[in-house]
Amino acid sequence: GEGLATQVRSLAAAIDARASDIDAERALIAEQATTKLQELARIEVELSHTTSAVARNPLLDLREATLAELSEIVPVHISKDAQGDLTVRLGTDAGGTVLMAGGQAGRIEAAADGRVRAFAPDAPGAPTLWRPGSGIMGGLADAAAVVADTRSALDDWSARLAQQMNAVHAQGVTPSGGAGGPLFLTAGWQSTPGALQRGDTAAQVDI
């Protein structure tokens, strides 16, 4: 019992560590998306003050490259007005939260359950929660969901195993001759000595 509890506890710790790594990566990638939005806003301001075609062309190329990099991180909808000024929205349709317009940038943060928290430039106190279905943030959201499902499956399996093994051990006797007790105490995968069957140990299982 003690050895099994140790192994399951180690597996659970590894799963939790992977979940933490994904959360940290999501936070970092969200910061990169915000940086791209700020770069786009700066380029838009420069373009608004630049009339020479020779000077504008490098800025337009840089704008397109930055948009492509942003699109790799999170899906965005891009529109241009008659003057060629950009509006960038979260998601793939024209109804998404504005992320950049008029030379002003909003920001993106990682939120729970694989979602992102989007702040429009003109409404910093009213974020929109949205789960990306593609891009790097979408891939990380899928990875986080797989890890969460794996952790849940481990918890369920642990609980069933504890119940089944406890049922078997309940049919035995303790060293003093009394009725057998549980081999696993379902309050955490913490191994602890116990007087169940003669010469055995008990394991405490946090589910």
Side-chain angles (χ1 to χ4, degrees), residues 25 29 32 69 71-75 134-141:
E25 188 171 1
I29 297 299
Q32 292 178 5
E69 292 170 352
S71 298
E72 290 179 357
I73 296 174
V74 66
S134 60
I136 297 175
M137 291 299 287
L140 289 173

Side-chain angles (χ1 to χ4, degrees), residues 167-188:
V168 173
H169 276 259
Q171 300 174 19
V173 295
T174 67
S176 62
L183 175 66
F184 293 102
L185 306 177
T186 53

Side-chain angles (χ1 to χ4, degrees), residues 63-204:
R63 186 175 74 174
E64 292 303 312
T66 305
L67 282 171
E69 292 170 352
L70 176 63
S71 298
E72 290 179 357
I73 296 174
V74 66
V76 291
H77 180 274
I78 301 162
S79 60
K80 297 179 183 179
D81 62 16
Q83 289 72 41
D85 296 332
L86 290 184
T87 296
V88 179
R89 295 177 180 271
L90 182 65
T92 57
D93 59 63
T97 299
V98 173
L99 294 177
M100 197 285 301
Q104 292 186 313
R107 72 179 191 275
I108 293 176
E109 298 176 352
D113 301 324
R115 296 178 295 178
V116 296
R117 187 181 297 110
F119 295 83
D122 57 349
T128 299
L129 287 172
W130 186 74
R131 190 190 189 285
S134 60
I136 297 175
M137 291 299 287
L140 289 173
D142 291 343
V146 170
V147 171
D149 289 345
T150 302
R151 186 62 163 89
S152 178
L154 177 63
D155 290 345
D156 292 343
W157 174 82
S158 301
R160 291 195 303 271
L161 177 65
Q163 292 171 355
Q164 292 167 3
M165 295 188 71
N166 285 346
V168 173
H169 276 259
Q171 300 174 19
V173 295
T174 67
S176 62
L183 175 66
F184 293 102
L185 306 177
T186 53
W189 279 102
Q190 301 294 325
S191 179
T192 181
L196 303 181
Q197 316 305 78
R198 292 186 176 90
D200 283 346
T201 62
Q204 182 177 322

Side-chain angles (χ1 to χ4, degrees), residues 25-42:
E25 188 171 1
R26 289 181 63 245
L28 178 62
I29 297 299
E31 289 180 5
Q32 292 178 5
T34 296
T35 298
K36 297 301 177 185
L37 291 170
Q38 293 169 346
E39 291 176 359
L40 284 171
R42 178 185 58 79

